[in-house]
Short mmCIF file of all heavy atoms in Angstrom, two decimals:
data_model
loop_
_atom_site.label_atom_id
_atom_site.label_comp_id
_atom_site.label_asym_id
_atom_site.label_seq_id
_atom_site.Cartn_x
_atom_site.Cartn_y
_atom_site.Cartn_z
N ALA A 1183 16.28 33.46 -0.72
CA ALA A 1183 17.64 33.57 -1.27
C ALA A 1183 17.83 32.55 -2.40
O ALA A 1183 18.43 32.86 -3.43
CB ALA A 1183 18.67 33.35 -0.16
N LEU A 1184 17.30 31.35 -2.23
CA LEU A 1184 17.41 30.32 -3.29
C LEU A 1184 16.62 30.76 -4.52
O LEU A 1184 17.07 30.59 -5.65
CB LEU A 1184 16.90 28.97 -2.78
CG LEU A 1184 17.81 28.26 -1.77
CD1 LEU A 1184 17.06 27.13 -1.07
CD2 LEU A 1184 19.07 27.72 -2.44
N ARG A 1185 15.46 31.34 -4.30
CA ARG A 1185 14.65 31.83 -5.43
C ARG A 1185 15.41 32.91 -6.19
O ARG A 1185 15.42 32.93 -7.42
CB ARG A 1185 13.33 32.41 -4.94
CG ARG A 1185 12.38 31.35 -4.49
CD ARG A 1185 10.93 31.72 -4.85
NE ARG A 1185 10.08 30.67 -4.34
CZ ARG A 1185 9.28 30.78 -3.29
NH1 ARG A 1185 9.17 31.94 -2.68
NH2 ARG A 1185 8.58 29.76 -2.88
N ALA A 1186 16.05 33.79 -5.43
CA ALA A 1186 16.81 34.87 -6.07
C ALA A 1186 17.97 34.30 -6.90
O ALA A 1186 18.36 34.89 -7.90
CB ALA A 1186 17.33 35.83 -5.01
N GLU A 1187 18.48 33.14 -6.50
CA GLU A 1187 19.56 32.49 -7.28
C GLU A 1187 19.01 31.79 -8.52
O GLU A 1187 19.77 31.23 -9.29
CB GLU A 1187 20.30 31.47 -6.41
CG GLU A 1187 21.02 32.03 -5.20
CD GLU A 1187 22.13 33.05 -5.53
OE1 GLU A 1187 22.63 33.05 -6.67
OE2 GLU A 1187 22.45 33.86 -4.63
N GLY A 1188 17.68 31.74 -8.65
CA GLY A 1188 17.08 31.14 -9.84
C GLY A 1188 16.45 29.78 -9.62
O GLY A 1188 16.05 29.12 -10.57
N VAL A 1189 16.36 29.36 -8.35
CA VAL A 1189 15.71 28.07 -8.06
C VAL A 1189 14.20 28.33 -7.91
O VAL A 1189 13.69 28.56 -6.81
CB VAL A 1189 16.30 27.41 -6.79
CG1 VAL A 1189 15.68 26.03 -6.57
CG2 VAL A 1189 17.81 27.30 -6.89
N GLY A 1190 13.50 28.31 -9.01
CA GLY A 1190 12.09 28.69 -9.01
C GLY A 1190 11.16 27.62 -8.46
O GLY A 1190 9.99 27.88 -8.21
N ASN A 1191 11.68 26.41 -8.27
CA ASN A 1191 10.82 25.31 -7.82
C ASN A 1191 10.99 25.01 -6.33
O ASN A 1191 10.65 23.93 -5.87
CB ASN A 1191 11.07 24.05 -8.65
CG ASN A 1191 12.52 23.58 -8.57
OD1 ASN A 1191 13.43 24.39 -8.44
ND2 ASN A 1191 12.74 22.28 -8.63
N VAL A 1192 11.51 25.99 -5.57
CA VAL A 1192 11.64 25.76 -4.13
C VAL A 1192 10.47 26.42 -3.39
O VAL A 1192 10.02 27.49 -3.74
CB VAL A 1192 13.01 26.29 -3.60
CG1 VAL A 1192 13.14 27.80 -3.75
CG2 VAL A 1192 13.26 25.87 -2.17
N PHE A 1193 9.96 25.71 -2.40
CA PHE A 1193 8.89 26.24 -1.56
C PHE A 1193 8.90 25.46 -0.24
O PHE A 1193 9.85 24.71 0.01
CB PHE A 1193 7.54 26.17 -2.28
CG PHE A 1193 6.98 24.78 -2.49
CD1 PHE A 1193 5.78 24.38 -1.89
CD2 PHE A 1193 7.64 23.86 -3.29
CE1 PHE A 1193 5.27 23.12 -2.08
CE2 PHE A 1193 7.13 22.57 -3.49
CZ PHE A 1193 5.94 22.22 -2.88
N VAL A 1194 7.88 25.64 0.58
CA VAL A 1194 7.87 24.96 1.88
C VAL A 1194 6.61 24.11 2.02
O VAL A 1194 5.50 24.65 2.08
CB VAL A 1194 7.95 25.97 3.06
CG1 VAL A 1194 7.87 25.22 4.39
CG2 VAL A 1194 9.25 26.76 2.98
N ALA A 1195 6.80 22.80 2.06
CA ALA A 1195 5.68 21.88 2.26
C ALA A 1195 5.99 21.01 3.50
O ALA A 1195 6.72 20.07 3.37
CB ALA A 1195 5.49 21.00 1.02
N TYR A 1196 5.54 21.45 4.66
CA TYR A 1196 4.53 22.45 4.96
C TYR A 1196 5.01 23.28 6.14
O TYR A 1196 5.59 22.72 7.07
CB TYR A 1196 3.19 21.76 5.28
CG TYR A 1196 2.72 21.02 4.00
CD1 TYR A 1196 3.08 19.70 3.82
CD2 TYR A 1196 2.00 21.68 3.03
CE1 TYR A 1196 2.70 19.03 2.65
CE2 TYR A 1196 1.61 21.01 1.86
CZ TYR A 1196 1.97 19.70 1.68
OH TYR A 1196 1.62 19.03 0.53
N PRO A 1197 4.73 24.58 6.15
CA PRO A 1197 5.31 25.44 7.18
C PRO A 1197 4.68 25.33 8.56
O PRO A 1197 5.33 25.69 9.54
CB PRO A 1197 5.10 26.86 6.62
CG PRO A 1197 3.97 26.72 5.66
CD PRO A 1197 4.00 25.33 5.12
N VAL A 1198 3.42 24.88 8.63
CA VAL A 1198 2.79 24.71 9.96
C VAL A 1198 1.99 23.41 9.99
O VAL A 1198 1.31 23.07 9.01
CB VAL A 1198 1.81 25.85 10.35
CG1 VAL A 1198 2.52 27.06 10.88
CG2 VAL A 1198 0.90 26.22 9.20
N PRO A 1199 2.05 22.70 11.11
CA PRO A 1199 1.17 21.52 11.23
C PRO A 1199 -0.29 21.99 11.15
O PRO A 1199 -0.62 23.06 11.66
CB PRO A 1199 1.49 20.98 12.63
CG PRO A 1199 2.80 21.58 13.02
CD PRO A 1199 2.87 22.90 12.32
N LEU A 1200 -1.12 21.18 10.51
CA LEU A 1200 -2.50 21.62 10.25
C LEU A 1200 -3.24 22.07 11.50
O LEU A 1200 -4.03 23.02 11.44
CB LEU A 1200 -3.28 20.48 9.58
CG LEU A 1200 -2.92 20.18 8.13
CD1 LEU A 1200 -3.75 19.01 7.62
CD2 LEU A 1200 -3.13 21.41 7.24
N TYR A 1201 -2.99 21.40 12.65
CA TYR A 1201 -3.78 21.73 13.85
C TYR A 1201 -3.53 23.16 14.33
O TYR A 1201 -4.27 23.69 15.13
CB TYR A 1201 -3.52 20.72 14.99
CG TYR A 1201 -2.07 20.53 15.32
CD1 TYR A 1201 -1.35 21.46 16.04
CD2 TYR A 1201 -1.41 19.38 14.88
CE1 TYR A 1201 -0.01 21.27 16.32
CE2 TYR A 1201 -0.08 19.18 15.15
CZ TYR A 1201 0.63 20.13 15.86
OH TYR A 1201 1.96 19.94 16.12
N LYS A 1202 -2.44 23.79 13.83
CA LYS A 1202 -2.15 25.17 14.25
C LYS A 1202 -2.85 26.21 13.39
O LYS A 1202 -2.80 27.40 13.68
CB LYS A 1202 -0.65 25.43 14.14
CG LYS A 1202 0.15 24.96 15.32
CD LYS A 1202 1.56 25.52 15.18
CE LYS A 1202 2.33 25.42 16.47
NZ LYS A 1202 3.75 25.72 16.22
N THR A 1203 -3.48 25.78 12.28
CA THR A 1203 -4.11 26.75 11.38
C THR A 1203 -5.47 27.18 11.96
O THR A 1203 -6.06 26.45 12.76
CB THR A 1203 -4.30 26.16 9.97
OG1 THR A 1203 -5.19 25.06 10.05
CG2 THR A 1203 -2.97 25.68 9.38
N PRO A 1204 -5.95 28.36 11.56
CA PRO A 1204 -7.20 28.90 12.15
C PRO A 1204 -8.38 27.93 12.06
O PRO A 1204 -9.18 27.84 12.98
CB PRO A 1204 -7.46 30.16 11.33
CG PRO A 1204 -6.11 30.59 10.86
CD PRO A 1204 -5.32 29.33 10.64
N LEU A 1205 -8.48 27.19 10.96
CA LEU A 1205 -9.60 26.24 10.81
C LEU A 1205 -9.69 25.29 12.00
O LEU A 1205 -10.78 25.06 12.54
CB LEU A 1205 -9.44 25.44 9.51
CG LEU A 1205 -10.38 24.26 9.32
CD1 LEU A 1205 -11.82 24.72 9.17
CD2 LEU A 1205 -9.96 23.43 8.10
N PHE A 1206 -8.54 24.73 12.41
CA PHE A 1206 -8.55 23.74 13.49
C PHE A 1206 -8.46 24.40 14.87
O PHE A 1206 -8.81 23.79 15.87
CB PHE A 1206 -7.41 22.73 13.28
CG PHE A 1206 -7.66 21.88 12.08
CD1 PHE A 1206 -7.10 22.19 10.85
CD2 PHE A 1206 -8.52 20.79 12.15
CE1 PHE A 1206 -7.37 21.43 9.72
CE2 PHE A 1206 -8.80 20.03 11.04
CZ PHE A 1206 -8.22 20.34 9.81
N GLN A 1207 -8.00 25.64 14.89
CA GLN A 1207 -7.98 26.36 16.16
C GLN A 1207 -9.39 26.85 16.50
O GLN A 1207 -9.84 26.70 17.62
CB GLN A 1207 -7.02 27.55 16.06
CG GLN A 1207 -5.55 27.12 16.03
CD GLN A 1207 -5.09 26.51 17.33
OE1 GLN A 1207 -5.34 27.06 18.39
NE2 GLN A 1207 -4.44 25.35 17.26
N ARG A 1208 -10.08 27.41 15.50
CA ARG A 1208 -11.43 27.96 15.77
C ARG A 1208 -12.50 26.89 15.79
O ARG A 1208 -13.50 27.00 16.47
CB ARG A 1208 -11.79 28.99 14.69
CG ARG A 1208 -11.01 30.25 14.77
CD ARG A 1208 -11.69 31.34 13.95
NE ARG A 1208 -10.69 32.30 13.53
CZ ARG A 1208 -10.37 32.55 12.26
NH1 ARG A 1208 -11.00 31.94 11.28
NH2 ARG A 1208 -9.44 33.41 11.97
N ARG A 1209 -12.32 25.89 14.97
CA ARG A 1209 -13.26 24.75 14.93
C ARG A 1209 -14.71 25.16 14.68
O ARG A 1209 -15.61 24.73 15.40
CB ARG A 1209 -13.16 23.94 16.22
CG ARG A 1209 -11.89 23.16 16.27
CD ARG A 1209 -11.77 22.41 17.54
NE ARG A 1209 -10.51 22.74 18.18
CZ ARG A 1209 -10.21 22.45 19.43
NH1 ARG A 1209 -11.09 21.86 20.19
NH2 ARG A 1209 -9.04 22.76 19.90
N GLU A 1210 -14.90 26.01 13.67
CA GLU A 1210 -16.28 26.36 13.30
C GLU A 1210 -16.88 25.31 12.37
O GLU A 1210 -18.08 25.07 12.39
CB GLU A 1210 -16.29 27.75 12.64
CG GLU A 1210 -16.14 28.85 13.68
CD GLU A 1210 -15.64 30.15 13.10
OE1 GLU A 1210 -15.48 30.25 11.88
OE2 GLU A 1210 -15.39 31.07 13.90
N GLY A 1211 -16.04 24.71 11.54
CA GLY A 1211 -16.47 23.62 10.67
C GLY A 1211 -17.66 23.99 9.82
O GLY A 1211 -17.66 24.98 9.09
N HIS A 1212 -18.70 23.18 9.90
CA HIS A 1212 -19.91 23.41 9.08
C HIS A 1212 -20.79 24.52 9.66
O HIS A 1212 -21.89 24.74 9.18
CB HIS A 1212 -20.73 22.12 8.99
CG HIS A 1212 -20.02 21.01 8.29
ND1 HIS A 1212 -19.92 20.93 6.92
CD2 HIS A 1212 -19.32 19.95 8.77
CE1 HIS A 1212 -19.22 19.86 6.59
NE2 HIS A 1212 -18.85 19.25 7.69
N GLY A 1213 -20.31 25.15 10.72
CA GLY A 1213 -21.13 26.16 11.41
C GLY A 1213 -21.58 25.57 12.73
O GLY A 1213 -21.71 24.35 12.86
N LEU A 1214 -21.72 26.45 13.75
CA LEU A 1214 -22.10 26.00 15.10
C LEU A 1214 -21.15 24.91 15.62
O LEU A 1214 -21.53 24.08 16.46
CB LEU A 1214 -23.55 25.48 15.13
CG LEU A 1214 -24.62 26.47 14.65
CD1 LEU A 1214 -26.00 25.82 14.67
CD2 LEU A 1214 -24.64 27.72 15.53
N GLY A 1215 -19.94 24.88 15.06
CA GLY A 1215 -18.91 23.98 15.63
C GLY A 1215 -18.96 22.54 15.15
O GLY A 1215 -18.16 21.71 15.58
N CYS A 1216 -19.90 22.19 14.27
CA CYS A 1216 -19.96 20.81 13.78
C CYS A 1216 -18.82 20.55 12.81
O CYS A 1216 -18.49 21.42 12.02
CB CYS A 1216 -21.29 20.54 13.08
SG CYS A 1216 -22.65 20.48 14.25
N PRO A 1217 -18.18 19.38 12.82
CA PRO A 1217 -18.56 18.17 13.55
C PRO A 1217 -18.00 18.05 14.97
O PRO A 1217 -18.39 17.14 15.69
CB PRO A 1217 -17.93 17.08 12.68
CG PRO A 1217 -16.66 17.71 12.18
CD PRO A 1217 -17.01 19.16 11.94
#
Side-chain angles (χ1 to χ4, degrees):
L1184 288 166
R1185 288 216 182 107
E1187 297 299 339
V1189 184
N1191 59 328
V1192 64
F1193 69 116
V1194 177
Y1196 296 92
V1198 279
L1200 288 178
Y1201 53 76
K1202 277 190 164 169
T1203 64
L1205 170 66
F1206 292 96
Q1207 289 292 312
R1208 290 196 206 117
R1209 288 178 234 166
E1210 284 158 4
H1212 296 280
L1214 303 177
C1216 289

